[in-house]
Amino acid sequence: TVTRVPLVMRNVGKTGRIERPVTHLDLPNTILRLAETDTRLGDQYSLIEEPRDEAAVVVENFLDNGDLTAAATDGEWKVMYHPDRGYEAYNTTTDQFEQSDRFGDHPSSLERVVKQHREERLSDHPNKITEHDGGGNDELRDVREDLMDLGYID
């Protein structure tokens, strides 16, 4: 899911406030930038001097059955897709606890972002994300190996 989490850093020599959606994946390169190193991790952004071109931030989660959930936020709205529940939309400025699904009132552009992201991820990894057939976990093996290679799991 997309969650609003404040981040305050002290004694870093920079001041400012980010008023757009960001992802926690931007933090490592931001910290490396603050440390004034030339090292960067992958193609993730730094929140300092590297503005994100996208108007929305998309996050995804792989479920145990190999399916994919996704959510996009533009700072005011959040649109989510879950295979069991379908699409949901929340106005996060008026409903911070996401109690009132406002699907239909949301910006259709965010829904398109989520749909396009899921389609791209599913087509990019047809062997990694498959419909769960109830037998074994073979379809997750590649995903688990990737996560292990990245150091996210043991």
Side-chain angles (χ1 to χ4, degrees):
T1 63
V2 179
T3 306
R4 294 172 179 242
V5 179
L7 171 68
V8 178
M9 299 173 79
R10 289 184 45 172
N11 299 323
V12 295
K14 300 272 184 184
T15 61
R17 181 180 179 130
I18 308 295
E19 295 289 346
R20 65 192 185 309
V22 298
T23 170
H24 69 281
L25 297 174
D26 297 334
L27 294 180
N29 281 336
T30 300
I31 293 167
L32 288 168
R33 184 84 167 190
L34 289 169
E36 299 179 354
T37 71
D38 292 330
T39 303
R40 295 292 178 266
L41 301 174
D43 60 355
Q44 295 300 321
Y45 289 90
S46 164
L47 299 176
I48 301 171
E49 301 165 3
E50 295 177 18
R52 186 180 286 282
D53 293 334
E54 298 90 4
V57 171
V58 179
V59 296
E60 64 185 28
N61 291 306
F62 291 97
L63 303 176
D64 287 340
N65 68 2
D67 209 338
L68 177 69
T69 65
T73 183
D74 64 4
E76 181 180 354
W77 284 89
K78 176 166 77 171
V79 174
M80 301 184 299
Y81 174 82
H82 189 282
D84 295 336
R85 296 188 305 268
Y87 284 92
E88 300 172 14
Y90 300 94
N91 184 321
T92 56
T93 58
T94 61
D95 183 15
Q96 292 179 340
F97 296 107
E98 299 173 13
Q99 299 294 307
S100 179
D101 182 358
R102 304 248 327 261
F103 192 80
D105 297 336
H106 67 287
S108 59
S109 59
L110 272 184
E111 184 180 345
R112 282 193 300 274
V113 167
V114 172
K115 284 182 178 178
Q116 180 179 352
H117 180 80
R118 280 184 41 82
E119 289 170 4
E120 288 173 3
R121 293 292 285 157
L122 292 169
S123 67
D124 287 347
H125 304 287
N127 296 325
K128 295 181 180 180
I129 304 169
T130 62
E131 195 66 33
H132 184 58
D133 62 5
N137 285 324
D138 290 343
E139 66 272 5
L140 297 178
R141 184 170 292 122
D142 290 335
V143 173
R144 285 192 180 113
E145 287 174 4
D146 288 347
L147 291 173
M148 288 171 59
D149 289 344
L150 292 169
Y152 289 114
I153 61 174
D154 294 326

